[in-house]
Amino acid sequence: MNPALDISTTTDRVHHTSKVRCHGVRHDPGGGGINVARIAHVLGAPVTAVFPIGGHTGELLTDMLEHSGVSYHSVPIADLTRESLTVNEESTGHQYRFVLPGPFVTHEEQDAVLQRLREVAASAQFLVASGSLPPGVPADFYQRVADLCRELGVLLILDSSGGGLTQVRYGAFLVKPSKRELREYVGRDIPTTADQIAAAHELIDRGVTQAVVVSLGADGALLATADVDQKFEAIDVPVVLSGVGAGDAMVAGITVALSRRWSLSDAVRYGVATGSAMLLTPGTAPCRPEDVERLFAQAAPPVDVTRSPARN
């Protein structure tokens, strides 16, 4: 619901007051759902992106998406599609990300997006709802998407934070929060693996979702279902060009693997490999399939986690 024209660039040092001279500017079509669609397309899956779009930034975004070969359905809105800026600081290796809130999307425009989504998703196996909600869109919007999926018999994979996650009460097949997003959801610190697994099961026990995948960055990932809890180790990537879009790539990898009828455990391992491959590309450039396959072959099998019986 909140696509972005992603701009990435590099400078020697980020500092206040004076001008920061940059070089090597790159533009990519972005936003969570579009990133997922681009990676799924690169991995060979038939995919269609659905999103609202407005203004000259929206036109540039759709031009680039069309050039990439990704199928899409855009819904015009009056306000301007946002931009997001990533600046890589060469002197320190730090990365700075500036994320704008996005356009105001009216109720009529929201309904138009849902109607287009209904038309496209009628023949889908999975629907991925990903990213932030822009101004004007109520926090329970993704619950409306979940209701649509239930009506159509489509499996919903949700990757959102804040109200976009907390306002979903039922209907998801899989939810992928980060550790921070999961901590915000349960409202307490979750420092250990047992804490994180217990927190993930709160979503399952409440009927929000059937499965939870917690992305842990350099610590790998966790999978929790009613039947199994597993820990997936991170894959060592010696040279990291950019961490932008790694979580979206993970979701894409999981979804593509599930569409191939892989087990959920193998799908998460493939997702970890896809997210790791994303670290090897600049900005939000899509990862390379050969990197995904190479890293997937290197990925260690998951380890079963014993869940503590005491959960809040």
Side-chain angles (χ1 to χ4, degrees), residues 4-294:
L5 177 62
D6 284 341
I7 305 169
S8 57
T9 188
T10 301
T11 190
D12 177 62
R13 183 175 294 277
V14 176
H15 47 77
H16 63 83
T17 309
S18 58
K19 295 178 180 179
V20 178
R21 301 287 183 181
C22 301
H23 58 87
V25 180
R26 179 184 176 91
H27 294 81
D28 289 294
I34 289 178
N35 288 338
V36 171
R38 293 171 67 209
I39 302 303
H41 173 73
V42 165
L43 295 176
V47 62
T48 299
V50 180
F51 52 88
I53 207 76
H56 64 276
T57 48
E59 291 177 2
L60 181 56
L61 187 153
T62 52
D63 285 347
M64 289 189 295
L65 198 61
E66 189 164 342
H67 181 73
S68 72
V70 175
S71 173
Y72 69 90
H73 287 261
S74 60
V75 176
I77 61 174
D79 211 348
L80 193 68
T81 295
R82 65 178 173 147
E83 296 172 288
S84 291
L85 175 64
T86 299
V87 179
N88 298 304
E89 188 178 55
E90 289 182 316
S91 60
T92 63
H94 294 163
Q95 187 176 77
Y96 298 86
R97 304 181 190 180
F98 302 89
V99 181
L100 302 182
F104 184 88
V105 182
T106 68
H107 292 297
E108 292 77 14
E109 291 166 344
Q110 295 169 42
D111 289 342
V113 173
L114 285 172
Q115 180 56 39
R116 184 63 55 84
L117 187 61
R118 178 183 298 277
E119 296 166 359
V120 176
S123 59
Q125 184 180 5
F126 294 94
L127 191 154
V128 177
S130 178
S132 62
L133 295 173
V137 177
D140 66 351
F141 183 85
Y142 284 141
Q143 183 59 59
R144 297 178 67 185
V145 175
D147 291 338
L148 185 151
C149 287
R150 173 175 286 192
E151 180 184 336
L152 296 176
V154 178
L155 297 178
L156 172 64
I157 295 178
L158 176 65
D159 182 14
S160 188
S161 59
L165 175 59
T166 60
Q167 295 300 310
V168 174
R169 304 179 305 279
Y170 57 85
F173 169 71
L174 185 148
V175 172
K176 191 215 71 70
S178 65
K179 178 183 174 181
R180 173 186 59 80
E181 291 164 347
L182 184 60
R183 182 181 67 242
E184 292 173 351
Y185 180 88
V186 298
R188 65 178 185 274
D189 195 20
I190 48 174
T192 69
T193 297
D195 294 327
Q196 294 150 18
I197 287 289
H201 273 274
E202 290 189 26
L203 281 89
I204 298 170
D205 295 344
R206 293 172 184 175
V208 174
T209 183
Q210 298 178 43
V212 178
V213 175
V214 186
S215 55
L216 303 173
D219 292 326
L222 296 173
L223 167 64
T225 72
D227 301 317
V228 66
D229 299 312
Q230 293 181 322
K231 174 71 183 294
F232 298 76
E233 295 299 327
I235 303 171
D236 182 44
V237 178
V239 179
V240 177
L241 295 181
S242 174
V244 179
D248 299 328
M250 182 181 186
V251 172
I254 292 172
T255 309
V256 169
L258 290 173
S259 74
R260 297 172 180 170
R261 302 189 183 280
W262 291 13
S263 70
L264 188 52
S265 182
D266 284 344
V268 175
R269 194 160 62 94
Y270 193 71
V272 171
T274 308
S276 301
M278 195 69 174
L279 304 177
L280 301 173
T281 61
T284 53
C287 55
R288 295 178 292 268
E290 58 269 28
D291 289 333
V292 175
E293 298 303 325
R294 174 174 56 83

